[in-house]
PDB file of all heavy atoms in Angstrom:
ATOM      1  N   GLU A  28       1.217  16.971   6.292  1.00 98.00           N
ATOM      2  CA  GLU A  28       1.248  17.542   7.648  1.00 98.00           C
ATOM      3  C   GLU A  28       1.204  19.062   7.541  1.00 98.00           C
ATOM      4  O   GLU A  28       2.094  19.672   6.941  1.00 98.00           O
ATOM      5  CB  GLU A  28       2.531  17.077   8.353  1.00 98.00           C
ATOM      6  CG  GLU A  28       3.042  17.974   9.477  1.00 98.00           C
ATOM      7  CD  GLU A  28       2.107  18.122  10.660  1.00 98.00           C
ATOM      8  OE1 GLU A  28       1.428  17.145  11.018  1.00 98.00           O
ATOM      9  OE2 GLU A  28       2.045  19.242  11.220  1.00 98.00           O
ATOM     10  N   SER A  30      -0.153  20.980  10.587  1.00 98.00           N
ATOM     11  CA  SER A  30      -0.846  21.361  11.829  1.00 98.00           C
ATOM     12  C   SER A  30      -0.328  22.649  12.453  1.00 98.00           C
ATOM     13  O   SER A  30      -1.008  23.265  13.262  1.00 98.00           O
ATOM     14  CB  SER A  30      -0.743  20.235  12.852  1.00 98.00           C
ATOM     15  OG  SER A  30       0.590  20.094  13.277  1.00 98.00           O
ATOM     16  N   CYS A  31       0.899  23.054  12.085  1.00 97.00           N
ATOM     17  CA  CYS A  31       1.448  24.251  12.737  1.00 97.00           C
ATOM     18  C   CYS A  31       2.225  25.089  11.729  1.00 97.00           C
ATOM     19  O   CYS A  31       1.639  25.639  10.810  1.00 97.00           O
ATOM     20  CB  CYS A  31       2.291  23.820  13.930  1.00 97.00           C
ATOM     21  SG  CYS A  31       2.795  25.196  14.973  1.00 97.00           S
ATOM     22  N   GLU A  33       4.953  24.059   9.770  1.00 97.00           N
ATOM     23  CA  GLU A  33       5.741  23.312   8.801  1.00 97.00           C
ATOM     24  C   GLU A  33       4.821  22.592   7.834  1.00 97.00           C
ATOM     25  O   GLU A  33       3.880  21.924   8.256  1.00 97.00           O
ATOM     26  CB  GLU A  33       6.604  22.261   9.517  1.00 97.00           C
ATOM     27  CG  GLU A  33       8.058  22.600   9.541  1.00 97.00           C
ATOM     28  CD  GLU A  33       8.613  22.736  10.939  1.00 97.00           C
ATOM     29  OE1 GLU A  33       8.008  22.166  11.870  1.00 97.00           O
ATOM     30  OE2 GLU A  33       9.636  23.423  11.103  1.00 97.00           O
ATOM     31  N   HIS A 132      -1.868  13.967  15.138  1.00 97.00           N
ATOM     32  CA  HIS A 132      -0.483  14.450  15.033  1.00 97.00           C
ATOM     33  C   HIS A 132       0.455  13.763  16.038  1.00 97.00           C
ATOM     34  O   HIS A 132       1.581  13.390  15.701  1.00 97.00           O
ATOM     35  CB  HIS A 132      -0.496  15.970  15.261  1.00 97.00           C
ATOM     36  CG  HIS A 132       0.833  16.627  15.169  1.00 97.00           C
ATOM     37  ND1 HIS A 132       1.422  16.954  13.970  1.00 97.00           N
ATOM     38  CD2 HIS A 132       1.701  17.029  16.126  1.00 97.00           C
ATOM     39  CE1 HIS A 132       2.593  17.523  14.196  1.00 97.00           C
ATOM     40  NE2 HIS A 132       2.788  17.585  15.505  1.00 97.00           N
ATOM     41  N   MET A 133      -0.019  13.567  17.278  1.00 96.00           N
ATOM     42  CA  MET A 133       0.861  12.980  18.293  1.00 96.00           C
ATOM     43  C   MET A 133       1.053  11.485  18.053  1.00 96.00           C
ATOM     44  O   MET A 133       2.089  10.924  18.402  1.00 96.00           O
ATOM     45  CB  MET A 133       0.327  13.250  19.707  1.00 96.00           C
ATOM     46  CG  MET A 133       0.239  14.725  20.084  1.00 96.00           C
ATOM     47  SD  MET A 133       1.723  15.687  19.697  1.00 96.00           S
ATOM     48  CE  MET A 133       2.856  15.114  20.954  1.00 96.00           C
ATOM     49  N   HIS A 136       3.912  11.446  15.734  1.00 95.00           N
ATOM     50  CA  HIS A 136       5.196  11.581  16.444  1.00 95.00           C
ATOM     51  C   HIS A 136       5.579  10.274  17.136  1.00 95.00           C
ATOM     52  O   HIS A 136       6.720   9.833  17.105  1.00 95.00           O
ATOM     53  CB  HIS A 136       5.103  12.680  17.504  1.00 95.00           C
ATOM     54  CG  HIS A 136       5.361  14.060  16.983  1.00 95.00           C
ATOM     55  ND1 HIS A 136       6.498  14.405  16.290  1.00 95.00           N
ATOM     56  CD2 HIS A 136       4.634  15.207  17.068  1.00 95.00           C
ATOM     57  CE1 HIS A 136       6.461  15.699  15.972  1.00 95.00           C
ATOM     58  NE2 HIS A 136       5.330  16.209  16.433  1.00 95.00           N
ATOM     59  N   SER A 157       6.980  18.052  22.707  1.00 94.00           N
ATOM     60  CA  SER A 157       6.931  18.950  21.551  1.00 94.00           C
ATOM     61  C   SER A 157       6.649  20.364  22.031  1.00 94.00           C
ATOM     62  O   SER A 157       6.708  20.655  23.230  1.00 94.00           O
ATOM     63  CB  SER A 157       5.854  18.475  20.582  1.00 94.00           C
ATOM     64  OG  SER A 157       4.587  18.705  21.144  1.00 94.00           O
ATOM     65  N   GLY A 158       6.309  21.241  21.076  1.00 93.00           N
ATOM     66  CA  GLY A 158       6.002  22.621  21.450  1.00 93.00           C
ATOM     67  C   GLY A 158       4.679  22.727  22.190  1.00 93.00           C
ATOM     68  O   GLY A 158       4.473  23.616  23.005  1.00 93.00           O
ATOM     69  N   GLY A 159       3.772  21.786  21.928  1.00 91.00           N
ATOM     70  CA  GLY A 159       2.441  21.865  22.525  1.00 91.00           C
ATOM     71  C   GLY A 159       2.149  20.778  23.551  1.00 91.00           C
ATOM     72  O   GLY A 159       1.157  20.871  24.276  1.00 91.00           O
ATOM     73  N   HIS A 160       2.977  19.747  23.615  1.00 93.00           N
ATOM     74  CA  HIS A 160       2.683  18.604  24.487  1.00 93.00           C
ATOM     75  C   HIS A 160       3.920  18.114  25.237  1.00 93.00           C
ATOM     76  O   HIS A 160       5.009  18.107  24.692  1.00 93.00           O
ATOM     77  CB  HIS A 160       2.169  17.412  23.668  1.00 93.00           C
ATOM     78  CG  HIS A 160       0.830  17.656  23.050  1.00 93.00           C
ATOM     79  ND1 HIS A 160       0.685  18.360  21.892  1.00 93.00           N
ATOM     80  CD2 HIS A 160      -0.414  17.291  23.447  1.00 93.00           C
ATOM     81  CE1 HIS A 160      -0.605  18.426  21.586  1.00 93.00           C
ATOM     82  NE2 HIS A 160      -1.299  17.789  22.511  1.00 93.00           N
ATOM     83  N   GLY A 294       8.797  13.952  19.166  1.00 93.00           N
ATOM     84  CA  GLY A 294       8.397  15.355  19.248  1.00 93.00           C
ATOM     85  C   GLY A 294       9.639  16.229  19.166  1.00 93.00           C
ATOM     86  O   GLY A 294      10.758  15.744  19.383  1.00 93.00           O
ATOM     87  N   GLY A 295       9.437  17.507  18.849  1.00 94.00           N
ATOM     88  CA  GLY A 295      10.551  18.415  18.556  1.00 94.00           C
ATOM     89  C   GLY A 295      11.688  18.404  19.576  1.00 94.00           C
ATOM     90  O   GLY A 295      12.860  18.408  19.207  1.00 94.00           O
ATOM     91  N   CYS A 325      12.039  14.113  14.147  1.00 95.00           N
ATOM     92  CA  CYS A 325      11.648  14.464  15.516  1.00 95.00           C
ATOM     93  C   CYS A 325      10.695  15.640  15.460  1.00 95.00           C
ATOM     94  O   CYS A 325       9.658  15.658  16.111  1.00 95.00           O
ATOM     95  CB  CYS A 325      12.872  14.877  16.332  1.00 95.00           C
ATOM     96  SG  CYS A 325      13.895  13.500  16.800  1.00 95.00           S
ATOM     97  N   THR A 326      11.050  16.649  14.671  1.00 94.00           N
ATOM     98  CA  THR A 326      10.160  17.800  14.510  1.00 94.00           C
ATOM     99  C   THR A 326       9.093  17.435  13.479  1.00 94.00           C
ATOM    100  O   THR A 326       9.132  16.363  12.884  1.00 94.00           O
ATOM    101  CB  THR A 326      10.977  19.042  14.082  1.00 94.00           C
ATOM    102  OG1 THR A 326      11.897  18.631  13.090  1.00 94.00           O
ATOM    103  CG2 THR A 326      11.743  19.636  15.233  1.00 94.00           C
ATOM    104  N   ASP A 327       8.139  18.352  13.263  1.00 97.00           N
ATOM    105  CA  ASP A 327       6.998  18.034  12.400  1.00 97.00           C
ATOM    106  C   ASP A 327       7.443  17.648  10.987  1.00 97.00           C
ATOM    107  O   ASP A 327       8.344  18.268  10.425  1.00 97.00           O
ATOM    108  CB  ASP A 327       6.051  19.236  12.354  1.00 97.00           C
ATOM    109  CG  ASP A 327       5.384  19.460  13.697  1.00 97.00           C
ATOM    110  OD1 ASP A 327       5.492  18.572  14.563  1.00 97.00           O
ATOM    111  OD2 ASP A 327       4.752  20.507  13.883  1.00 97.00           O
ATOM    112  N   ASN A 328       6.786  16.645  10.431  1.00 98.00           N
ATOM    113  CA  ASN A 328       7.171  16.149   9.103  1.00 98.00           C
ATOM    114  C   ASN A 328       6.014  15.349   8.510  1.00 98.00           C
ATOM    115  O   ASN A 328       5.103  14.910   9.225  1.00 98.00           O
ATOM    116  CB  ASN A 328       8.430  15.277   9.230  1.00 98.00           C
ATOM    117  CG  ASN A 328       8.174  14.025  10.037  1.00 98.00           C
ATOM    118  OD1 ASN A 328       7.724  13.014   9.503  1.00 98.00           O
ATOM    119  ND2 ASN A 328       8.394  14.079  11.341  1.00 98.00           N
ATOM    120  N   MET A 331       5.922  10.915   9.138  1.00 98.00           N
ATOM    121  CA  MET A 331       5.242  10.265  10.273  1.00 98.00           C
ATOM    122  C   MET A 331       3.731  10.187  10.027  1.00 98.00           C
ATOM    123  O   MET A 331       3.073   9.239  10.475  1.00 98.00           O
ATOM    124  CB  MET A 331       5.551  11.010  11.585  1.00 98.00           C
ATOM    125  CG  MET A 331       4.996  12.417  11.661  1.00 98.00           C
ATOM    126  SD  MET A 331       5.494  13.225  13.219  1.00 98.00           S
ATOM    127  CE  MET A 331       4.396  14.647  13.232  1.00 98.00           C
TER     128      MET A 331
HETATM  129 ZN1   ZN B   4       4.645  18.119  16.403  1.00 91.36          ZN
END
Side-chain angles (χ1 to χ4, degrees):
E28 155 63 36
S30 68
C31 190
E33 252 120 23
H132 181 80
M133 298 313 287
H136 275 306
S157 71
H160 293 81
C325 285
T326 43
D327 292 349
N328 65 86
M331 66 183 194

